[in-house]
Amino acid sequence: GRATRNGGRLPDTWVIRDGAHEVSTSCGVDGLPAAERELANYIASKWRPSAAQDADARNDPAQVSIAEVLALYAQERAPQLKSDPHTTAGFIRHLLAWWGERMVSEVKRSTCKAYVQHRVEQPIRHGETGRLVSDQTARRELEVLSAAIGYWHGEDTLSSRPKVWLPEKPESPRDALTRSQAAALLKAACGYRKAKNGSWVRLGASARANRAHLRRFILIGLYTGTRHSVITKLLWGPSASQAWVDLERGMIFRKGKEERESRTKRRPVVKLTPRLLAHMRRWRDDDAGAACREGERADLYATVLHHGGFAISGKIRRGFASCVRDAGLPAEI
C-alpha cells in the first residue's frame, strides 16, 4: 500500500495508468472485474467521439484513432455481448496499450504481426506460473479489434476498411478425460491430494469447504459437457437472461428464456442423468437451508455454483488448477 503523511499505509487498489497520469478505481486487489469495468468507462469518457466531428473525418481511416474505435465498442457494443464482460474489458485494455495512439489506417498485416510478437513476449498476469501470453490469446484480442472496426464502420462508413490479420487457429485436440483421470480430479475436489507414492492424503476441512463449488463444476461438466461460461452462471430458478436448472423436469436450460441462440456456440437443453439429478436436488436443498439461515439476502445461494453463497465472478482458474495438481494430472488438463 501507499504511505500516508502520518506514516500509515493505504490499502492497495487498482489504478488506471494513462501515461504519467494515474486515476484510482477505488477497487481493492480482489476487485479486478470491477476495476476493468472502471477502465472501460474511462476509455469511453476520454475518447468518446464528438457528434460535431466532421463527417469526412469520421469516414477517413487516417483520421480515426483506434482508441476512439475501441471506446465506442466498449461503450455501446461490448455490454450487449454474451461473452464475459471482464474478459472483453481485458482484451480492450491490452489492445489500447499497444494500438491506442495509432490510426485505423495503420492496421495491416505487418502491424498485426508486430502486435502478436509483442504479446507473446509478455507474462500472463494471473498467477505466478512464469508462462507467457499465447498467440491464440493475441488472436482473440485482434478479433475484438476487428469487431470494433466493423462496429464503427456500421455507423460511419470508412472509405477503406482495413483487414485485421490473425494468427492461424490450430485444430482442436478434441481430447477427453479417461475414467480414472475424472475420478482423480473429483477426489482432489473432495479435499484430497495424491502423494508421490500413489496414496491419497486428506486435506483440512477448509480445503474441502473451499472446493465445494469445484465439485459441482466438475460433476456438471463431466455429465453434461456444458461450457465453462454456462456452468458458472447456472441459476436455481427460471431466468430470462441466464442459464438455469429445472429440477422438476430434470433439465438444464443453457440459455435464458429471452436469449438468442448464437450461430457458433449452440446451447441446447440437456436432460439430466438420474445420478446428476440426485446430486443437484441435494445441492438445492443444502442451498435453500443455508439461504434461510442467512435471512433476507435473496441474492445469496441463487446460483448453482457459488462460494459461501456468493456467485462466482469471472472464470474458475486457480481452484481448478489446484485440483489438477493435487490429483497428479498433467497441467494441460
Side-chain angles (χ1 to χ4, degrees), residues 40-51 53 58 65 67-72 75-76 152:
N41 293 335
Y42 178 80
I43 294 167
S45 65
K46 181 172 182 180
W47 282 293
R48 185 180 293 113
S50 170
Q53 187 178 352
R58 292 174 62 82
S65 71
E68 285 182 302
V69 170
L70 290 172
L72 182 67
Q75 183 183 20
E76 296 186 3
W152 182 283

Side-chain angles (χ1 to χ4, degrees), residues 7-206:
R9 305 292 294 182
L10 293 174
D12 290 331
T13 58
W14 289 98
V15 297
I16 299 168
R17 292 189 62 185
D18 186 359
H21 182 54
E22 288 190 356
V23 179
S24 174
T25 64
S26 300
C27 301
V29 291
D30 296 328
L32 180 57
E36 288 181 334
R37 286 194 295 271
E38 290 297 320
L39 173 64
N41 293 335
Y42 178 80
I43 294 167
S45 65
K46 181 172 182 180
W47 282 293
R48 185 180 293 113
S50 170
Q53 187 178 352
D54 182 73
D56 291 337
R58 292 174 62 82
N59 301 144
D60 184 359
Q63 298 188 61
V64 177
S65 71
I66 293 177
E68 285 182 302
V69 170
L70 290 172
L72 182 67
Y73 187 79
Q75 183 183 20
E76 296 186 3
R77 179 57 180 152
Q80 302 171 354
L81 301 177
K82 295 185 178 71
S83 56
D84 186 348
H86 308 146
T87 301
T88 303
F91 289 164
I92 293 174
R93 174 165 52 90
H94 291 300
L95 288 167
L96 274 173
W98 198 88
W99 292 95
E101 301 299 324
R102 291 173 168 83
M103 298 296 168
V104 173
S105 59
E106 296 180 63
V107 176
K108 46 191 174 183
R109 184 172 59 247
S110 59
T111 51
C112 290
K113 286 185 175 181
Y115 176 74
V116 173
Q117 184 59 39
H118 159 74
R119 288 293 285 134
V120 299
E121 294 174 353
Q122 294 186 311
I124 296 177
R125 296 299 181 188
H126 56 81
E128 299 297 331
T129 63
R131 293 190 302 152
L132 300 178
V133 173
S134 71
D135 64 339
Q136 294 307 298
T137 296
R139 177 191 170 94
R140 292 181 67 192
E141 292 166 358
L142 288 173
E143 287 174 342
V144 170
L145 174 61
S146 179
I149 293 173
Y151 189 76
W152 182 283
H153 184 66
E155 177 68 19
D156 297 285
T157 306
L158 296 168
S159 58
S160 176
R161 179 181 172 181
K163 183 177 181 180
V164 177
W165 175 89
L166 301 173
E168 288 190 14
K169 193 172 185 179
E171 292 187 11
S172 172
R174 294 293 180 186
D175 201 0
L177 295 176
T178 64
R179 192 176 186 86
S180 61
Q181 286 176 327
L185 186 62
L186 187 57
K187 192 171 183 71
C190 289
Y192 288 85
R193 176 181 296 135
K194 194 171 187 179
K196 291 183 179 180
N197 62 5
S199 64
W200 287 92
V201 179
R202 187 176 180 86
L203 303 177
S206 62

